[in-house]
Amino acid sequence: MTKIGQLQGRFGNSLHAQAVAANFLPVVAASVCVFALFGALFFIQLDAFHNELQLRGQSLAQSLSRQSELAALLGDRAELERLAGTVVAVEGVLYVAVDAASGERLVTVTRGSFPALDIPQRPAGNAGGFDSRGASSRQRLVDVAAKIRQADPQRLVDWEDSAESKAPLGSVRVGLSTEGYHAMYQRSLWSVIALGFVSLFLTLGGHRSHKNKILSPLKSLMAFTRQVAEGDLTQRAAVVRHDEVGQLAISCNEMVCELDRSRSQLLHALDAAHEASRLKSQFLANMSHEIRTPLNGVIGMTELALDSKLSPEPREQLTTALTSAHALLSILNDILDLSKIEAGKLDLDSVPFNLEAEIEKAARTLAVQAHRKGVELVCDIRPDTPQWVCGDPDRLRQVLTNLISNAVKFTSEGEVVVAVSLDSEAGDRLCLGFTVSDTGIGIPPEKQAVIFEPFTQADGSMTRQYGGTGLGLTICVRLVGMMGGGISVSSQVGTGSSFRFTVIFGRATDPAPGKDVADLAALDGLRTLIVDDNETNRRILAATLQNWRVDVECSDSGTAAMEVLQAAQAAGRPFRLIVLDAMMPEMDGFEVARRIKHTLTGEPPIVMMLSSCSANGDSTSCRNLGITRYLTKPVSRGELHDVILRALGHEMKQSSTEHADIRQGPAADQRVLSILVAEDNLVNQKVLSSLLRKAGHSVELTRDGREALAAHSRGSFDLIMMDIQMPNMDGWEATRLIREKERGTGEHIPIIALTAHALKGDRELCIDAGMDGYVAKPVSRALLFQAIEEATGLSSVAVSATGSTPIGSAAG
């Protein structure tokens, strides 16, 4: 774009540009027309002057030719020179030249300032006048010639030539200067130009003054509107005219007054909204406390009852009650999470964690539910996926749990597959892709965008049939967005759904040493048969084992597996390891194991059983059938690797994927703690005292902060568990007074906060208040003892590794 085009683009639509165009362009066009008209008139006048000059020169030349007839006939040069001198004396005549008929120059007379050498040569055949310019003087001139003829007695008048005139005696040339005419023409032209420009400038000046008179109030209004746009509503536009511009200023002032009133109303509404938000947060905190407090009693007492000896019917009833309580707690957590996310009060952690272990935790929590429905739950972690990453494991597990729970909920048969892969990496930033796909009822296309909205499900009848609040996917979308990724869904009704999301993690270093080369060498070439009716399971297991250089074959049924085993034994290449699925149609894994035991000869192979859920009597059946290991699906890569090596006779250290089983009662090397519990709720007192006393600790109960202070003053305790919200004196104040007392003694007793509040900042407030730990209600037994161990630095419960179940051990 040219500079003019840019200026037009910038100013072409402004009133200033339009006013300039409306005033300047017509004036300029008129001025150009006037100048063109005057120029044409001057050219016409100049041509007339030129013709007049030629006529004058012709008249002088003819007059001189008649006077020179006798002198030319006699050859009297002196007379010719005298006659020529009289003509040169005439104003404007530069020279007179008389030539003989033969062409000889007889007389040349010039004006004193004009050199004779500047007399031009006359063009051949030109009998009239012609324009020329002096060679040295550069004077413009007109050269006119006339012939000298001998007079005819028969000629009636002098200027009438007879038809039979005699040959000319010579010729006379007269040169007249045109400088005077040109000078006069130039003076007139410059005068007109000067007058035109003066008129143009006066006209434009008048237009500019008139334009400024019109546009100046508009510029003031523009400056005023800019101030209003910047938020200054105290200014008012000055009304200096009583035309349309003045009416515009009045309208602007009215508009600003209305804006000022509207802003005041909005500020008042904003204050009210902030107050409503504060009250909502306070209400949520109070509701969290009021709901979690009795829920803690329900869950705690139910778990304690389930720990006792019960007949099947009461145990089933209590288990159902416990499941319902956890479902209620899950709904409450969803509402609180959504509230915290919408208020921008949910922060993410960034810590190194084992990605495979977190995926396994999320899957294992729903494995039993999937098994009860006959749904296969499979984890497919691609080999290129890093095992250790840096991020928020709790929130990742929350997203996975929500998606897997939905997949299991809406799938009545088939499978649910959790796939993880590395999408991309840039430096220390890893983009991981997670996919949770199922073979369930599917989602209609028109509902796929709605399901991510709060309190919304694809079909209203789903709430009645499947339950749920419609918050799970909304929370997933918000959490995934906070973790730098996005979530999408692809689904077909009757076929299933696939939810895919990406998360940005940091790269983390594995704190544990990697697999030894010797461990991998032990698996190299190991002949293994995988027997599973689920194609996805077979594919994942085969890919995992092949990545460890295991020689793998697969069978999709027990009958086919027996044929493969017998053919391999006949060929002298028996399988060393057989991995069986427990639940298969026609012939299940236990029947295959029985036939292997009674059919195959020679060294018995290592048989491993994979099941979605262990049942009563499975351990005995496995022991009787010679099954070496019994694993619960989904099986992580690390667990599978370690279990195979143990089955082959290799000693392995406890894997990071193995689980801790909390046992009741103190261990031999465990210290019994004296614990002060400050809790105003009687049910919660019973729950806490029962849990702690069953773990072997001594417990003293108080009902508020004052009683806790008195008990702390008269007794010696190893730990205080302090409820935050209590009558008379709350936990904050009691902790503050204890810490002030300790400043003088130098002592420090660990204090763990017990609170039913679960909003953002509660943990930080507890730590800032001088507490050493935080446990949210309802109290989880595992989290409770973990908090005690972290606060005291001592083991509060016995911990034993129970990764896979070796058949024949005490765990069986």
Side-chain angles (χ1 to χ4, degrees):
M1 184 183 291
T2 62
K3 187 174 182 180
I4 295 177
Q6 293 175 353
L7 292 175
Q8 287 176 347
R10 184 176 179 182
F11 298 106
N13 296 327
S14 65
L15 289 176
H16 180 271
Q18 295 178 29
V20 170
N23 294 323
F24 179 74
L25 294 180
V27 173
V28 171
S31 301
V32 170
C33 292
V34 170
F35 284 139
L37 178 62
F38 273 101
L41 291 176
F42 277 114
F43 277 113
I44 294 172
Q45 183 182 13
L46 181 62
D47 187 62
F49 286 161
H50 185 270
N51 292 336
E52 180 184 355
L53 189 62
Q54 281 193 337
L55 289 175
R56 181 185 172 197
Q58 188 176 3
S59 175
L60 290 173
Q62 288 179 354
S63 176
L64 180 59
S65 66
R66 288 193 297 272
Q67 294 176 10
S68 303
E69 178 183 350
L70 180 59
L73 183 61
L74 298 177
D76 188 354
R77 293 177 179 257
E79 181 62 17
L80 291 174
E81 187 173 354
R82 184 188 67 78
L83 293 173
T86 59
V87 175
V88 170
V90 176
E91 182 181 0
V93 177
L94 297 175
Y95 62 86
V96 174
V98 182
D99 297 334
S102 60
E104 179 187 0
R105 179 65 51 83
L106 299 177
V107 173
T108 300
V109 179
T110 64
R111 190 175 291 276
S113 60
F114 187 81
L117 295 176
D118 283 354
I119 297 176
Q121 295 293 328
R122 191 165 187 81
N126 190 349
F130 69 94
D131 295 343
S132 181
R133 185 183 291 272
S136 58
S137 64
R138 308 302 299 168
Q139 289 196 54
R140 289 186 290 269
L141 55 90
V142 174
D143 186 280
V144 182
K147 296 181 179 180
I148 303 175
R149 297 180 180 276
Q150 186 177 356
D152 186 359
Q154 302 297 327
R155 191 171 56 187
L156 299 177
V157 292
D158 292 342
W159 59 83
E160 183 181 61
D161 292 337
S162 63
E164 299 178 357
S165 58
K166 298 180 180 180
L169 300 175
S171 62
V172 176
R173 293 176 58 190
V174 178
L176 288 85
S177 174
T178 62
E179 292 292 341
Y181 292 106
H182 282 286
M184 182 180 65
Y185 170 76
Q186 290 178 356
R187 286 194 301 271
S188 300
L189 180 62
W190 284 113
S191 298
V192 171
I193 291 175
L195 181 61
F197 274 108
V198 170
S199 301
L200 178 63
F201 287 146
L202 291 176
T203 303
L204 292 178
H207 282 302
R208 184 173 182 274
S209 176
H210 185 65
K211 178 199 68 175
N212 291 337
K213 184 178 180 181
I214 295 175
L215 295 181
S216 292
L218 293 179
K219 291 181 179 179
S220 300
L221 283 176
M222 289 172 61
F224 164 70
T225 54
R226 278 195 295 269
Q227 291 178 335
V228 173
E230 292 172 358
D232 185 4
L233 300 182
T234 61
Q235 302 294 327
R236 295 294 181 269
V239 182
V240 296
R241 298 170 60 170
H242 301 285
D243 53 5
E244 289 83 354
V245 177
Q247 292 297 322
L248 179 60
I250 294 173
S251 299
C252 287
N253 289 335
E254 293 175 352
M255 178 189 67
V256 172
C257 292
E258 185 63 28
L259 286 175
D260 195 12
R261 286 193 297 270
S262 299
R263 184 171 71 173
S264 300
Q265 294 174 357
L266 287 175
L267 291 175
H268 180 72
L270 183 61
D271 293 339
H274 286 162
E275 179 64 15
S277 177
R278 187 190 66 79
L279 292 176
K280 184 186 77 170
S281 297
Q282 183 178 356
F283 171 77
L284 286 173
N286 292 335
M287 286 300 98
S288 171
H289 182 272
E290 296 301 324
I291 295 175
R292 285 174 181 272
T293 298
L295 197 57
N296 179 60
V298 173
I299 294 176
M301 287 299 184
T302 305
E303 289 179 343
L304 290 173
L306 287 172
D307 287 340
S308 61
K309 294 181 179 181
L310 297 171
S311 58
E313 185 176 356
R315 179 172 293 276
E316 182 180 358
Q317 293 171 349
L318 288 174
T319 302
T320 303
L322 183 61
T323 302
S324 301
H326 281 295
L328 179 60
L329 179 61
S330 176
I331 294 173
L332 178 62
N333 289 334
D334 284 346
I335 296 174
L336 291 175
D337 282 342
L338 182 62
S339 175
K340 288 186 283 187
I341 291 172
E342 290 184 343
K345 295 181 178 180
L346 183 69
D347 293 332
L348 297 179
D349 292 331
S350 181
V351 296
F353 67 93
N354 188 322
L355 178 64
E356 184 177 338
E358 295 303 323
I359 297 172
E360 180 191 357
K361 289 178 185 177
R364 282 186 181 275
T365 57
L366 297 160
V368 175
Q369 181 182 348
H371 172 73
R372 287 174 180 170
K373 299 185 67 175
V375 176
E376 195 79 24
L377 180 56
V378 184
C379 291
D380 182 9
I381 303 177
R382 306 296 165 80
D384 62 343
T385 305
Q387 184 175 6
W388 285 87
V389 295
C390 189
D392 193 324
D394 294 334
R395 296 306 174 183
L396 173 64
R397 193 168 61 253
Q398 182 177 359
V399 174
L400 286 172
T401 302
N402 270 328
L403 294 179
I404 298 172
S405 175
N406 281 345
V408 173
K409 180 192 301 183
F410 298 112
T411 303
S412 58
E413 60 181 7
E415 63 183 17
V416 174
V417 180
V418 182
V420 187
S421 62
L422 177 63
D423 282 5
S424 62
E425 56 182 322
D428 290 336
R429 288 171 58 86
L430 305 173
C431 180
L432 298 183
F434 298 81
T435 304
V436 179
S437 55
D438 61 66
T439 56
I441 61 176
I443 306 171
E446 65 274 9
K447 299 293 185 180
Q448 292 180 14
V450 181
I451 59 175
F452 294 108
E453 298 297 327
F455 309 103
T456 304
Q457 292 189 341
D459 187 353
S461 62
M462 290 182 179
T463 303
R464 299 186 296 271
Q465 182 178 356
Y466 297 101
T469 61
L471 293 177
L473 289 179
T474 301
I475 295 172
C476 289
V477 171
R478 307 291 178 85
L479 290 177
V480 168
M482 293 175 65
M483 291 187 286
I487 189 170
S488 61
V489 60
S490 59
S491 180
Q492 187 174 355
V493 176
T495 303
S497 305
S498 178
F499 286 85
R500 173 176 170 79
F501 67 94
T502 57
V503 176
I504 302 298
F505 287 121
R507 191 184 300 276
T509 305
D510 189 347
K515 296 179 178 63
D516 294 336
V517 177
D519 294 340
L520 292 176
L523 301 179
D524 193 0
L526 178 66
R527 291 270 293 161
T528 302
L529 177 64
I530 299 174
V531 186
D532 199 319
D533 62 314
N534 185 276
E535 181 182 357
T536 305
N537 266 339
R538 294 197 306 271
R539 175 180 59 80
I540 295 173
L541 279 173
T544 301
L545 294 175
Q546 287 170 355
N547 190 48
W548 300 332
R549 301 192 297 273
V550 175
D551 184 7
V552 180
E553 291 189 30
C554 297
S555 294
D556 59 358
S557 66
T559 303
M562 292 306 302
E563 294 176 356
V564 172
L565 288 170
Q566 291 173 356
Q569 188 176 38
R573 299 184 68 248
F575 289 96
R576 184 75 179 90
L577 173 66
I578 301 174
V579 181
L580 295 175
D581 181 26
M583 304 297 294
M584 291 187 294
E586 297 179 1
M587 185 186 298
D588 62 14
F590 294 100
E591 178 63 21
V592 175
R594 187 186 65 79
R595 294 193 181 188
I596 291 174
K597 181 178 180 180
H598 293 92
T599 303
L600 298 183
T601 59
E603 183 182 358
I606 299 172
V607 181
M608 295 174 52
M609 182 74 74
L610 303 181
S611 176
S612 298
C613 183
S614 60
N616 293 331
D618 283 353
S619 296
T620 303
S621 300
C622 290
R623 188 182 306 109
N624 295 333
L625 295 174
I627 297 175
T628 309
R629 285 291 189 273
Y630 186 87
L631 300 176
T632 302
K633 297 180 183 178
V635 182
S636 67
R637 291 181 300 179
E639 181 182 4
L640 180 64
H641 176 269
D642 294 346
V643 168
I644 294 175
L645 287 177
R646 284 195 182 95
L648 292 173
H650 286 254
E651 289 296 330
M652 300 294 298
K653 296 179 180 179
Q654 180 174 325
S655 171
S656 61
T657 60
E658 294 177 342
H659 304 283
D661 181 26
I662 298 175
R663 308 279 184 184
Q664 298 295 338
D669 58 347
Q670 174 192 349
R671 175 184 167 187
V672 175
L673 302 177
S674 176
I675 301 176
L676 173 64
V677 176
E679 169 65 63
D680 62 314
N681 186 277
L682 295 178
V683 177
N684 288 339
Q685 287 182 358
K686 292 179 181 180
V687 172
L688 289 170
S689 62
S690 298
L691 287 174
L692 295 173
R693 284 168 179 160
K694 281 192 175 184
H697 305 298
S698 64
V699 178
E700 181 174 339
L701 299 174
T702 57
R703 293 174 297 179
D704 57 36
R706 290 181 180 176
E707 291 186 6
L709 284 176
H712 173 261
S713 299
R714 67 174 181 267
S716 177
F717 297 96
D718 300 309
L719 175 70
I720 298 178
M721 308 205 72
M722 185 79 70
D723 186 25
I724 297 301
Q725 188 170 343
M726 294 183 294
N728 300 324
M729 180 183 292
D730 59 21
W732 308 110
E733 182 65 15
T735 301
R736 184 183 65 81
L737 294 175
I738 291 174
R739 294 305 184 215
E740 287 182 357
K741 180 180 179 181
E742 289 177 344
R743 289 194 187 99
T745 62
E747 298 177 352
H748 181 86
I749 182 171
I751 301 178
I752 297 177
L754 293 172
T755 177
H757 293 289
L759 298 179
K760 174 188 178 292
D762 287 341
R763 178 185 296 272
E764 291 74 11
L765 290 174
C766 293
I767 301 302
D768 293 341
M771 299 181 182
D772 301 275
Y774 170 96
V775 176
K777 299 176 184 177
V779 174
S780 165
R781 182 186 304 174
L783 294 178
L784 174 65
F785 290 128
Q786 179 182 351
I788 294 174
E789 182 177 348
E790 291 175 353
T792 60
L794 300 173
S795 176
S796 59
V797 292
V799 178
S800 63
T802 60
S804 62
T805 303
I807 305 304
S809 67

